[in-house]
Amino acid sequence: MHINPATWSQIVFGLILIGGLYLFISEKLRVDVTAMLILGALVITGLLDGQQALSGFSSEPAIIVAAVFVISGSLGTTGISERIGRWIEHASGNSESRTIAVVMPLVSLLAAFTHHVMVTAMMLPLLLRHARSRHLPASRLLMPMSLAASLGTTLTLFSAPAFLLANDMLQRSGNEGLGIFSVTPIGIALVVIGTGYMLLTRWLLPKRSGQQNDDTYLRLDRYRTELVVVKDGHWCTRPFSELEKALGQRFRLLAWLRDGKHRDDLRSNSPLLAGDVLLVEAAADELLSLHDDTGLDLNAIARFGGLASSEDGHTQLVQAVVAPGSEFIGRSIRELDFARRFHTVIAGLWRRDEQMAERLSDARLQEGDLLVLWGNPSRFSELATHHGFLLLVPFAGEAKRRLRAPLALIILGATILAAVTEFLPPQLAFLFGALAMVVTRCIDVEQAYRSIDTRIFVMIAGVIPLGIAMEQTGTAALLAGGLAHLIAHWPPLAILLVVFSLAALLTQVMSDAATTALLGPISIAMAQALGLPPAPFVVCTALGAVVAFLTPIGHHGNLLILGPGQYRFSDFMRIGLPLTALIALVSAWLARWLWMHGPLLPFG
């Protein structure tokens, strides 16, 4: 039997698609590796040429996603995300319903401009602490927060890769693309409805206190250290209140020494003078920020750094735990004389119960104390074998650049304004915004690269050619024609609900980007076959891929809260199934109103 080339191409594409779906669903390989395997198969079989295969890496969605990761990272390094998170916690009060009413809209707004998983990860410890301090069940707070982070991705076009892919598909098919805020009316409605739904049905949520093992994590925010004001540094003669503002709420002054004497008369508005010693407690990020600050120095390093530095000048901070039975137990840091004995400086100390001498050098070490050591890496390799330490690992902190927070907000606003007004193409606006964050040192180059989730970037670049191949081989038109034949006489609202539902089901086993890349071309082809505008169909496909809150595996944010909230699979189904049905109806209704001139009100 003779098979024409077009049919043969569709068969080959179908086999590649089935293999790719199997790997995406089974997760036998990482999603980015699977995307690259699909890309390679499309090229080897001749379904795509080299230029088409690599077009995803230079595409608008891939560039915007990478840039948004950098901008999002900048909001984290400048302390903006943390400050917003703490403000949310403060505004939530003691009421369960008030906490939900405050957290959900503000988390949604935050997720509209940063990555939703980062927002969920940032809010998780804050809400757990808030739940414990207010005696609220954590399980009643974490699921609404995770839902809000997902809903927030519908507020702007660049919040979720799925919408960027949808816009790219519309433009490639010769249709008008979407604007930055084209989906915002739908997003606002979903955030309002989602918040109201969780307030009315929160009694369906389980009442569990959540895991308590994050207490140690939160208490690691208190490292004891000493600072000295550097002569002619930028903090010299500036009021202490400015330093407090720059370092945030997790920085606490214990004592202020001037000329070696305690000064109880010095207040927040008192100026810092060269040689002043501040006895403080600070979080890991703030401790690293202080170490990198040219206007301040860690007092121990200023005094003994010459004994620990090396000719190459390369130094670093590491953490070491005092082992049980260690010879260091019961001896003060002054007695141990670490700098001369080990050519290493003890720059900070964390202890579980906080009871220790005021001066760091007078602290007598105990089993389990966590020491922050400063010195040359070559010295640490021999120190790691010492029986007095339980472990030796790199210091877990990232320097915050809080003084650049206003600048980061200005750059974010300018980036969005340039994209919305079309002063620059969106991909260039966000690329230049990310570059501005690096140039102005809101984030350093290494942190910028680390903030980019390369798996998502590579996967997006890999699945875009999948959509191109689906269209070129006629597979999209074939599948769309079959689906259109079944639902040709259905009203548009019902058809929009169908495409939303297909995406909602598939996204439970695939990422939102992969789901949109697979179903988007089919939605566009089906709309064209029915003589309808394709925008509402591809938007509903992307919405179904992004906000289907059916299972804990459907979104990465759900996986983050699954353990801490002590949730079961059935908890998500009980809450998510009716909510997803409501979201589907609202999404389809508003998409029809926005792009097909349907009625806004049911009885209008």
Side-chain angles (χ1 to χ4, degrees):
M1 184 177 66
H2 176 70
I3 301 177
N4 65 53
T7 304
W8 177 251
S9 296
Q10 291 170 359
I11 292 173
V12 172
F13 177 80
L15 292 174
I16 294 173
L17 181 61
I18 291 170
L21 283 173
Y22 170 74
L23 291 176
F24 273 131
I25 293 170
S26 65
E27 296 185 354
K28 290 185 179 294
L29 297 173
R30 285 182 15 162
V31 290
D32 51 341
V33 176
T34 298
M36 290 298 99
L37 285 175
I38 293 173
L39 190 63
L42 293 173
V43 173
I44 291 171
T45 56
L47 298 182
L48 293 179
D49 59 33
Q51 185 176 355
Q52 291 171 322
L54 296 177
S55 63
F57 287 95
S58 59
S59 65
E60 179 180 322
I63 293 171
I64 291 179
V65 163
V68 166
F69 274 123
V70 174
I71 293 172
S72 178
S74 302
L75 298 182
T77 58
T78 53
I80 294 172
S81 300
E82 176 191 311
R83 190 176 302 177
I84 293 173
R86 289 186 174 276
W87 184 87
I88 290 173
E89 182 190 15
H90 177 73
S92 297
N94 299 320
S95 164
E96 182 181 286
S97 58
R98 179 179 168 184
T99 300
I100 293 173
V102 168
V103 165
M104 289 192 67
L106 290 177
V107 166
S108 298
L109 185 61
L110 195 58
F113 300 101
T114 58
H115 195 266
H116 70 97
V117 176
M118 189 195 83
V119 176
T120 305
M122 178 193 75
M123 288 300 301
L124 179 58
L126 292 175
L127 279 184
L128 284 172
R129 182 172 60 190
H130 177 77
R132 277 199 307 276
S133 63
R134 269 72 169 186
H135 305 290
L136 300 173
S139 58
R140 292 279 181 99
L141 306 180
L142 296 184
M143 192 182 290
M145 180 270 293
S146 179
L147 168 63
S150 294
L151 293 177
T153 61
T154 65
L155 290 172
T156 57
L157 189 72
F158 57 82
S159 316
F163 294 120
L164 294 171
L165 285 171
N167 180 53
D168 185 68
M169 290 174 190
L170 283 171
Q171 292 176 336
R172 288 178 185 271
S173 63
N175 294 281
E176 184 180 350
L178 302 170
I180 295 292
F181 296 111
S182 290
V183 296
T184 303
I186 300 177
I188 292 173
L190 295 185
V191 170
V192 171
I193 288 170
T195 303
Y197 176 88
M198 295 308 300
L199 285 171
L200 291 173
T201 63
R202 69 181 190 276
W203 55 272
L204 290 173
L205 289 166
K207 295 186 73 171
R208 304 184 189 115
S209 59
Q211 290 180 350
Q212 301 297 316
N213 60 5
D214 77 311
D215 186 56
T216 300
Y217 162 79
L218 291 168
R219 292 174 66 87
L220 279 173
D221 279 358
R222 294 191 288 265
Y223 287 89
R224 179 75 63 87
T225 192
E226 297 179 2
L227 309 176
V228 61
V229 180
V230 176
K231 184 180 180 181
D232 299 324
H234 60 270
W235 290 114
C236 215
T237 71
R238 294 173 71 176
F240 175 71
S241 58
E242 291 189 18
L243 180 62
E244 282 186 307
K245 182 179 179 180
L247 292 173
Q249 295 182 355
R250 292 187 293 173
F251 172 81
R252 186 157 67 102
L253 178 69
L254 302 176
W256 190 335
L257 278 62
R258 180 168 289 172
D259 299 324
K261 299 179 181 178
H262 279 266
R263 293 290 299 271
D264 295 330
D265 57 318
L266 298 176
R267 300 287 183 265
S268 289
N269 58 354
S270 300
L272 295 163
L273 299 181
D276 281 1
V277 175
L278 307 176
L279 314 183
V280 302
E281 287 180 347
D285 294 341
E286 275 63 48
L287 188 56
L288 201 57
S289 301
L290 294 167
H291 176 56
D292 291 345
D293 195 320
T294 56
L296 297 167
D297 205 349
L298 298 178
N299 192 35
I301 296 176
R303 294 178 62 191
F304 305 111
L307 299 172
S309 60
S310 60
E311 294 181 0
D312 61 10
H314 183 50
T315 57
Q316 71 177 111
L317 292 171
V318 301
Q319 295 179 110
V321 176
V322 178
S326 170
E327 64 182 80
F328 306 138
I329 293 176
R331 302 177 67 185
S332 71
I333 293 175
R334 190 193 308 277
E335 292 172 7
L336 289 172
D337 201 6
F338 249 64
R340 289 185 174 83
R341 183 177 175 186
F342 297 106
H343 300 283
T344 301
V345 174
I346 299 179
L349 170 66
W350 172 85
R351 178 173 294 167
R352 185 180 298 274
D353 59 11
E354 283 194 276
Q355 297 299 318
M356 65 178 82
E358 186 176 61
R359 295 300 301 267
L360 189 63
S361 57
D362 294 330
R364 296 191 176 276
L365 298 183
Q366 299 178 6
E367 175 187 328
D369 279 354
L370 186 68
L371 305 178
V372 180
L373 306 178
W374 178 88
N376 188 271
S378 61
R379 296 290 183 182
F380 293 141
S381 59
E382 64 180 73
L383 201 61
T385 62
H386 195 285
H387 65 275
F389 293 124
L390 199 59
L391 56 89
L392 200 70
V393 295
F395 185 66
E398 279 196 351
K400 296 289 185 185
R401 301 160 185 251
R402 298 183 190 278
L403 291 178
R404 290 183 168 83
L407 184 58
L409 287 174
I410 291 172
I411 293 172
L412 174 63
T415 299
I416 296 171
L417 185 63
V420 170
T421 60
E422 298 184 357
F423 178 75
L424 290 172
Q427 65 270 32
L428 287 181
F430 283 93
L431 184 62
F432 290 154
L435 180 62
M437 291 290 192
V438 174
V439 170
T440 57
R441 297 179 61 202
C442 292
I443 187 172
D444 63 36
V445 176
E446 290 77 14
Q447 287 175 314
Y449 279 117
R450 286 200 306 270
S451 66
I452 299 173
D453 191 331
T454 53
R455 291 176 301 174
I456 294 178
F457 175 78
V458 171
M459 186 191 69
I460 289 173
V463 297
I464 284 176
L466 180 68
I468 296 173
M470 182 179 283
E471 292 173 0
Q472 282 195 173
T473 58
T475 307
L478 181 67
L479 295 174
L483 187 59
H485 179 73
L486 289 175
I487 60 178
H489 302 293
W490 290 17
L493 182 64
I495 300 174
L496 293 174
L497 287 171
V498 168
V499 298
F500 182 102
S501 302
L502 288 174
L505 292 173
L506 193 57
T507 199
Q508 302 308 310
V509 291
M510 291 175 60
S511 70
D512 59 346
T515 299
T516 305
L518 177 64
L519 297 181
I522 299 173
S523 297
I524 292 173
M526 184 176 63
Q528 291 171 338
L530 295 173
L532 297 171
F537 292 86
V538 74
V539 166
C540 280
T541 300
L543 285 166
V546 169
V547 292
F549 206 73
L550 294 173
T551 67
I553 60 175
H555 296 279
H556 294 153
N558 290 349
L559 294 175
L560 285 179
I561 66 167
L562 186 62
Q566 297 183 354
Y567 293 113
R568 301 186 181 96
F569 197 94
S570 58
D571 295 330
F572 287 87
M573 289 291 293
R574 184 171 61 252
I575 293 293
L577 192 58
L579 176 59
T580 302
L582 181 61
I583 287 174
L585 182 60
V586 172
S587 299
W589 188 278
L590 290 179
R592 185 183 63 164
W593 170 64
L594 287 170
W595 286 283
M596 301 173 70
H597 309 293
L600 176 60
L601 300 175
F603 306 106

